[in-house]
Amino acid sequence: DQQVKQNSPSLSVQEGRISILNCDYTNSMFDYFLWYKKYPAEGPTFLISISSIKDKNEDGRFTVFLNKSAKHLSLHIVPSQPGDSAVYFCAASARRNAGNMLTFGGGTRLMVKP
Amino acid sequence: IAGITQAPTSQILAAGRRMTLRCTQDMRHNAMYWYRQDLGLGLRLIHYSNTAGTTGKGEVPDGYSVSRANTDDFPLTLASAVPSQTSVYFCASSASRGETQYFGPGTRLLVL
């Protein structure tokens, strides 16, 4: 049973508009959440993170929102740019666990159309 | 440029053969990790090492072994490859347990 789920395998957005990528989790022990961006033939690149003590973290065009009661987080990209086209993975960890295992969602492919 | 290097970039391997995937980081990170990426499943942790000299099992460790003789290197070995080990393998590191992980470019492995 997947503990981190990204239910939308793909998302298409017009350049300049907002992109919203969603992620749900089931493990209430998760206390740290991250978003990674991945281009083809490259490794995932860290984008932004949020601790469970916060409900929002912003970095430039990227904002992550965390709703602990709903066990839901989202990544907002505004304005979206063609260079944002990539696969986005959300990941979660329970930092107190040995190994700091990151549990990943299956990814959402974002396509930003010019 | 500091970062993580992986070798080889890609490999075709006959089933039953032994293979070692190499990973080196120059950031002096204490913790290192091996993941595999399969379509629709995201990345799954194979093995990890919190510090040189220690290793641990992740979510999918069967068929794989690792060693951590020093801080910089974290090789992953497939003792006898099977087709289900066809995947893209990513090495990652973090300054310490609990910190953000940074990934290498990956090794694409095809086991026939």
Side-chain angles (χ1 to χ4, degrees):
Chain A
D1 184 34
Q2 285 189 292
Q3 297 186 64
V4 178
K5 288 185 179 180
Q6 294 176 254
N7 291 317
S8 298
S10 65
L11 174 68
S12 182
V13 171
Q14 204 67 33
E15 180 180 6
R17 299 290 188 97
I18 185 171
S19 296
I20 300 176
L21 295 95
N22 294 302
C23 180
D24 297 294
Y25 62 96
T26 58
N27 189 341
S28 57
M29 296 298 293
F30 288 148
D31 57 6
Y32 187 55
F33 304 89
L34 308 91
W35 284 94
Y36 284 84
K37 175 180 177 179
K38 186 181 180 304
Y39 292 118
E42 295 183 10
T45 302
F46 169 71
L47 197 55
I48 193 168
S49 63
I50 187 167
S51 166
S52 60
I53 62 174
K54 295 185 176 182
D55 55 17
K56 176 183 175 181
N57 188 27
E58 190 172 353
D59 183 1
R61 297 186 296 115
F62 303 92
T63 303
V64 56
F65 296 92
L66 176 62
N67 182 334
K68 289 187 293 293
S69 61
K71 292 190 175 68
H72 177 84
L73 65 153
S74 61
L75 174 68
H76 293 210
I77 306 173
V78 55
S80 301
Q81 299 174 354
D84 295 330
S85 297
V87 177
Y88 289 79
F89 292 98
C90 70
S93 74
R95 283 180 148 181
R96 284 185 291 275
N97 283 357
N100 182 34
M101 188 173 95
L102 282 183
T103 302
F104 282 82
T108 296
R109 181 177 302 278
L110 173 66
M111 293 163 285
V112 180
K113 298 179 180 178
Chain B
I1 298 176
I4 300 178
T5 57
Q6 292 184 237
T9 302
S10 63
Q11 182 74 44
I12 299 173
L13 188 66
R17 296 298 294 269
R18 180 185 179 90
M19 173 78 188
T20 295
L21 280 60
R22 299 185 298 280
C23 174
T24 300
Q25 54 102 358
D26 61 4
M27 297 176 283
R28 306 304 293 172
H29 282 176
N30 284 315
M32 296 186 74
Y33 315 84
W34 273 105
Y35 292 87
R36 59 178 289 172
Q37 183 194 3
D38 301 293
L39 194 63
L41 295 177
L43 288 87
R44 293 179 293 168
L45 183 67
I46 304 170
H47 285 287
Y48 66 91
S49 169
N50 286 335
T51 188
T54 69
T55 63
K57 294 182 179 180
E59 182 183 356
V60 288
D62 294 343
Y64 306 94
S65 64
V66 291
S67 62
R68 187 87 185 278
N70 56 62
T71 298
D72 299 342
D73 301 299
F74 191 42
L76 175 75
T77 297
L78 290 67
S80 179
V82 295
S84 62
Q85 291 178 311
T86 292
S87 188
V88 183
Y89 292 86
F90 291 101
C91 179
S93 71
S94 62
S96 62
R97 181 172 69 91
E99 299 299 320
T100 299
Q101 296 179 22
Y102 297 90
F103 287 79
T107 292
R108 285 144 193 81
L109 181 66
L110 174 61
V111 182
L112 299 174

